[in-house]
Amino acid sequence: MLELCGWKVSRSEASSGEQLDDGRWPYNQSRCTIDNRVTRVAWLNRSTILYAGNDKWCLDPRVVLLSNTQTQYSIEIQNVDVYDEGPYTCSVQTDNHPKTSRVHLIVQVSPKIVEISSDISINEGNNISLTCIATGRPEPTVTWRHISPKAVGFVSEDEYLEIQGITREQSGDYECSASNDVAAPVVRRVKVTVNYPPYISEAKGTGVPVGQKGTLQCEASAVPSAEFQWYKDDKRLIEGKKGVKVENRPFLSKLIFFNVSEHDYGNYTCVASNKLGHTNASIMLFELNEPTSSTLLQEVKTTALTPWKGPGAVSEVSNGTSRRAGCVWLLPLLVLHLLLKF
């Protein structure tokens, strides 16, 4: 009797060992189940004899004999790779009648990305092509995905990703995933930077009293980051001017006046530029009248003379009116008293 067990290297069946870094599995076994009528046994790979009984015929140190008993004849191949795939034959001799049975070794290999595009910087409106080449057995499926809150689903289900007329919203990381169900998908990313000229998103003017601190703000979006310049009446403001300071950040510029004078009021121009272009915006620094002490006193007097419209106002006004009426009533009595004295 000859019974040959199936032979297939896969993630689930190679449970007695861990997968190697190159996607191979550490070993696989195949065995013949035989009985006492068998007199001779041998293992062959195609036409090459691996073992004849206990004698090893091949030079490959990865092939070892596991057992040769009255019931079982088995071999093991260690560190299996794709070149080991193919037919293996167990041959036995029984009562001078040879019998053979064949098993086919199928080697599965985890996906591996062997080639991927480098990070790229490109001007808005141009075309790009990204490449992601992967190997594995079975052949892995390759997909591209844009890592962005606005992106939905896959942008490509192919090794190649083509983008025509790229926009600034399409910048960011692109993820290539290769999977074939043998192991977890392999993921790599490519960073795409889209360059575009500046545009000013916010230009904020302000009103400031004389002698106070004032700030003009100019915010611009650009890739590469914008450089800022400030002008007043077509004259560029130089950093270090007394009482004035320019603070620049990648997307924001501030023109700061520490002690505003009459001469500082007027229209200012913020210019944002990079290698792709420039833009500008007009911002006004205007005078804001600050209340003086005499004005405050006048306001206090006005407030004191103005009848309060809140609770209790009626009784307050009524009391004042009764006092004035009482004075008018006593005046004739005083005059009569003086006349009687004379």
Side-chain angles (χ1 to χ4, degrees), residues 187-209:
V187 175
R188 297 272 298 277
R189 289 187 178 185
V190 177
K191 183 179 179 65
V192 176
T193 301
V194 179
N195 303 314
Y196 58 91
Y199 74 92
I200 294 178
S201 55
E202 184 176 2
K204 186 183 297 183
T206 186
V208 183

Side-chain angles (χ1 to χ4, degrees), residues 114-177:
V114 295
E115 180 184 343
I116 191 168
S117 297
S118 302
D119 294 346
I120 184 172
S121 178
I122 189 170
N123 293 345
E124 188 173 38
N126 288 348
N127 305 329
I128 67 167
S129 176
L130 302 180
T131 302
C132 181
I133 306 298
T135 60
R137 295 172 67 97
E139 184 176 352
T141 300
V142 177
T143 56
W144 282 99
R145 187 165 63 96
H146 186 198
I147 307 301
S148 168
K150 298 181 180 179
V152 179
F154 297 107
V155 294
S156 175
E157 296 185 0
D158 193 7
E159 296 175 336
Y160 304 98
L161 173 62
E162 305 282 346
I163 302 178
Q164 305 292 325
I166 194 168
T167 65
R168 64 193 70 179
E169 290 80 13
Q170 292 174 301
S171 65
D173 289 336
Y174 284 78
E175 181 182 88
C176 171
S177 176

Side-chain angles (χ1 to χ4, degrees), residues 1-4 31-35 37-38 90-92 99-102:
M1 176 182 177
L2 174 64
E3 181 183 347
L4 194 61
R31 64 182 182 272
C32 282
T33 301
I34 55 180
D35 56 26
R37 292 177 297 171
V38 174
C90 178
S91 177
V92 300
K99 294 183 178 180
T100 62
S101 187
R102 178 176 294 184

Side-chain angles (χ1 to χ4, degrees), residues 159-339:
E159 296 175 336
Y160 304 98
L161 173 62
E162 305 282 346
I163 302 178
Q164 305 292 325
I166 194 168
T167 65
R168 64 193 70 179
E169 290 80 13
Q170 292 174 301
S171 65
D173 289 336
Y174 284 78
E175 181 182 88
C176 171
S177 176
S179 61
N180 64 359
D181 296 329
V182 175
V186 179
V187 175
R188 297 272 298 277
R189 289 187 178 185
V190 177
K191 183 179 179 65
V192 176
T193 301
V194 179
N195 303 314
Y196 58 91
Y199 74 92
I200 294 178
S201 55
E202 184 176 2
K204 186 183 297 183
T206 186
V208 183
V210 173
Q212 299 297 313
K213 182 179 179 180
T215 302
L216 300 180
Q217 288 191 180
C218 181
E219 186 174 340
S221 177
V223 177
S225 298
E227 296 182 356
F228 293 92
Q229 295 177 352
W230 288 90
Y231 292 82
K232 183 183 181 184
D233 301 330
D234 298 329
K235 184 177 181 180
R236 183 181 173 185
L237 301 180
I238 305 300
E239 175 69 25
K241 178 184 175 183
K242 186 177 180 181
V244 179
K245 180 182 180 181
V246 177
E247 287 187 357
N248 287 331
R249 299 176 186 175
F251 300 101
L252 176 67
S253 181
K254 293 182 179 181
L255 181 61
I256 302 173
F257 302 85
F258 294 101
N259 187 2
V260 175
S261 66
E262 293 284 351
H263 176 73
D264 293 324
Y265 294 123
N267 187 50
Y268 291 81
T269 301
C270 167
V271 178
S273 61
N274 66 7
K275 64 182 182 180
L276 298 178
H278 64 273
T279 186
N280 63 78
S282 295
I283 308 174
M284 181 69 69
L285 179 67
F286 57 90
E287 183 175 5
L288 185 66
N289 291 327
E290 187 176 31
T292 62
S293 58
S294 59
T295 305
L296 290 173
L297 181 59
Q298 180 64 32
E299 289 178 354
V300 170
K301 289 180 178 179
T302 303
T303 303
L305 295 175
T306 301
W308 176 249
K309 302 299 183 181
V314 175
S315 61
E316 182 67 25
V317 174
S318 299
N319 292 338
T321 304
S322 62
R323 286 196 295 268
R324 287 194 295 270
C327 293
V328 173
W329 177 74
L330 289 173
L331 184 61
L333 293 177
L334 291 174
V335 174
L336 179 60
H337 177 70
L338 290 174
L339 291 175

